[in-house]
Amino acid sequence: MEDKELQQLVEKISNDSFQKPFKHKAVFNARLQTTGGRYLLGSHNIEINRKYLEQIGINEVISIIKHELCHYHLHLEGKGYQHKDADFKLLLNQVGGARYCSTLPNRPTRKIRKTIFYMCEQCGTQYRRKKVINTSKYVCGKCRGKLIKVKELTVD
């Protein structure tokens, strides 16, 4: 599916489900990582994550489009368009849009988190850091004593 076909699909869904025209642009955005789509407040355009079409299918994309069109139409009408607003929740329920999109099956695994523990040689104060620090450059914040690395934990 190309951007032109996506534009036609969004216009059709807008007319069929909302009985209102979609007068702006709908495009695929390959940079979206953690969301199925987004409505841009400034330009009123809608961007859709192509991965949802490729990995889950057209029904998921239609649900995402309905969700974004709820933001679009409510914002243009001056009503509550945010997720927390009652207007948004009501309209989303009426048109059958998804509150949340499905998780992509081929989504990369989480980053490995590292925690490093340091301790002051003089006063025994312990410090927990996510990044390695240069112990010859940094000293204890309480007594200015020398810091030593105690242990390092790695969590998946």
Side-chain angles (χ1 to χ4, degrees):
M1 180 183 279
E2 298 297 320
D3 284 346
K4 185 178 170 184
E5 295 169 290
L6 177 66
Q7 178 74 31
Q8 291 170 347
L9 179 62
V10 171
E11 288 173 4
K12 182 180 181 329
I13 293 170
S14 183
N15 286 327
D16 294 350
S17 297
F18 296 86
Q19 290 76 44
K20 295 173 188 168
F22 177 72
K23 298 177 182 177
H24 293 84
K25 281 175 131 182
V27 293
F28 285 109
N29 184 343
R31 293 172 312 207
L32 294 178
Q33 296 292 317
T34 60
T35 184
R38 68 179 173 184
Y39 165 63
L40 302 168
L41 291 172
S43 65
H44 306 295
N45 294 339
I46 290 177
E47 297 178 342
I48 302 295
N49 187 339
R50 185 184 296 274
K51 293 174 194 159
Y52 279 84
L53 178 63
E54 295 167 352
Q55 295 179 23
I56 299 178
I58 191 68
N59 289 336
E60 182 71 17
V61 172
I62 289 170
S63 185
I64 292 167
I65 290 170
K66 286 180 179 179
H67 178 104
E68 300 310 326
L69 282 171
C70 286
H71 290 298
Y72 172 81
H73 289 298
L74 290 169
H75 180 246
L76 291 178
E77 293 170 8
K79 295 181 179 176
Y81 62 88
Q82 295 180 347
H83 291 126
K84 64 183 179 182
D85 295 325
D87 291 333
F88 178 81
K89 291 176 185 176
L90 180 66
L91 184 59
L92 189 65
N93 196 24
Q94 287 173 353
V95 298
R99 181 90 164 101
Y100 305 101
C101 54
S102 304
T103 304
L104 288 170
N106 295 346
R107 188 164 179 204
T109 56
R110 289 182 1 177
K111 291 181 180 178
I112 295 173
R113 290 181 292 167
K114 206 168 28 169
T115 305
I116 304 144
F117 295 89
Y118 296 93
M119 188 175 80
C120 175
E121 281 185 329
Q122 279 184 291
C123 68
T125 303
Q126 294 184 353
Y127 299 93
R128 189 170 85 186
R129 297 289 178 264
K130 291 183 181 181
K131 293 183 178 180
V132 176
I133 63 170
N134 183 351
T135 55
S136 62
K137 186 176 178 182
Y138 294 96
V139 294
C140 175
K142 289 188 177 178
C143 70
R144 314 219 11 105
K146 183 175 175 17
L147 296 176
I148 54 169
K149 185 175 178 179
V150 179
K151 66 180 174 177
E152 186 173 318
L153 292 177
T154 305
V155 181
D156 289 340

